[in-house]
Amino acid sequence: MGFADVARELLLVAPGDFVAERTARQRAVRKDDRDLAAAIGKLRKPAPAAWVVDLLAHDGALDDAVDLGPALRKAQADADPGAIRTLRQQRSEVIEALTQAGADLASDAGHPATSAVLDQVRATIEAAMADPHAGAAVRSGLLVTPLESVGFDAVDLDGALADPDAVPDAWSGSDAPPIPITQARGARKASRASRSTETEPQDGPEPDAQPAPKRDPAAERKAARQAETAARSESRDADAALDAAEADLEQAEERRADLQRELDRATAEIEALERARDAAEATSNDARELLAAAQEHRRSLGR
């Protein structure tokens, strides 16, 4: 099995069991494929919402939702109000049905999803409908973070997939020529950087007669979304660090258990040797008594 196949299986494991299962799978393949074992060890624990979406992808439940996206985008491009209303209603119904299906799958797996997690599931499905790149990412079953569609911007997929190389459509799109993943990532990062610099104040003297700037609600909402995105990025990094710490702790505990088993075996061997020594000493004492009796019997016979 390739890394993407292993990742798809591991991403279906309930979050509470993920680290232990990842460690077990890594150990199982380490002898035969050290590169694969290293890749498995670096696999990030999925966010709860991404786990729910991966469960839906595994069941093939997301296909209709993703396929609805192009029709909605075409209706918006054609400025067809009737088609837009119909498709939006259909989209809302599909999203709610899929969110409920995801909640049922999570409950069946023993890890019920909270309302906040289900809100992120809805946002991820909406992003999959809005952006063909995001649609490919969501259908791949390799999602590790939830997605969000913000206005007309492309959905940010940086760090969203366990194995980006396995999902080329997440970078080339359904109707665009393939492009290198690194180039796509660079373009997205540059786009975000340019958007952030647009809101920064420019250095230089301010005219004395300039009136106070008016509030721009759109700019404030945009800044709030950027701050939220940065906070989510920091949260993902913290989750990754926590996963690594949990893996290290688990390995240390397993090493301690191995040492304890070795100590128990050594103790058992020492006890067995002590019993053998005691038995040997008892046998030696019996032999000395028999020898003394034989010598006495010989003296008796001599007399």
Side-chain angles (χ1 to χ4, degrees):
M1 297 178 68
F3 172 64
D5 297 322
V6 176
R8 284 189 179 93
E9 293 182 357
L10 287 174
L11 293 175
L12 298 177
V13 176
D17 302 326
F18 176 83
V19 174
E21 186 64 25
R22 179 185 61 188
T23 302
R25 184 65 65 89
Q26 182 183 19
R27 290 184 173 181
V29 304
R30 181 177 294 155
K31 182 178 179 181
D32 298 325
D33 192 336
R34 299 189 67 85
D35 291 339
L36 177 58
I40 292 174
K42 296 178 182 178
L43 177 62
R44 291 170 52 194
K45 179 180 178 180
W51 171 65
V52 174
V53 173
D54 286 335
L55 291 177
L56 291 168
H58 178 70
D59 280 2
L62 297 171
D63 294 346
D64 291 341
V66 175
D67 292 340
L68 186 62
L72 183 57
R73 291 193 295 273
K74 183 177 184 303
Q76 290 173 335
D78 295 341
D80 186 341
I84 291 175
R85 280 195 301 271
T86 300
L87 290 170
R88 282 183 175 173
Q89 178 64 30
Q90 187 177 354
R91 180 184 66 176
S92 298
E93 294 172 355
V94 169
I95 290 173
E96 287 306 314
L98 286 174
T99 303
Q100 183 58 53
D104 294 340
L105 289 173
S107 296
D108 293 342
H111 192 82
T114 65
S115 58
V117 168
L118 294 179
D119 287 341
Q120 291 181 334
V121 171
R122 290 187 184 91
T124 300
I125 298 172
E126 290 177 354
M129 292 180 170
D131 185 337
H133 303 281
V138 164
R139 295 172 71 169
S140 70
L142 293 169
L143 205 65
V144 293
T145 63
L147 304 179
E148 183 181 18
S149 177
V150 181
F152 294 99
D153 294 339
V155 176
D156 183 7
L157 296 177
D158 286 333
L161 291 170
D163 186 4
D165 294 326
V167 195
D169 283 349
W171 306 100
S172 64
S174 59
D175 54 358
I179 57 176
I181 290 176
T182 53
Q183 179 182 341
R185 290 174 175 166
R188 291 174 186 274
K189 291 179 180 178
S191 177
R192 290 200 303 275
S194 63
R195 289 197 301 271
S196 63
T197 55
E198 289 174 0
T199 60
E200 295 179 356
Q202 300 296 324
D203 295 334
E206 295 182 358
D208 296 335
Q210 289 292 335
K214 295 181 179 180
R215 290 185 57 189
D216 186 347
E220 292 176 356
R221 288 194 298 270
K222 183 177 181 180
R225 287 196 299 269
Q226 290 174 341
E228 182 181 2
T229 299
R232 289 182 178 177
S233 178
E234 293 178 359
S235 176
R236 290 195 297 267
D237 293 341
D239 288 342
L242 178 60
D243 289 345
E246 289 177 350
D248 292 341
L249 176 60
E250 184 174 357
Q251 291 176 357
E253 290 177 346
E254 291 180 356
R255 177 58 179 161
R256 181 185 61 80
D258 292 340
L259 292 174
Q260 184 62 49
R261 285 191 290 269
E262 292 177 5
L263 177 60
D264 293 342
R265 284 196 296 269
T267 302
E269 291 176 359
I270 292 173
E271 292 175 351
L273 290 172
E274 290 177 345
R275 289 193 296 270
R277 181 200 61 191
D278 294 341
E281 290 178 352
T283 302
S284 177
N285 292 335
D286 293 341
R288 283 194 293 270
E289 292 176 359
L290 289 173
L291 177 60
Q295 291 173 342
E296 180 62 28
H297 183 58
R298 183 181 66 179
R299 288 192 292 269
S300 298
L301 290 176
R303 290 193 295 270

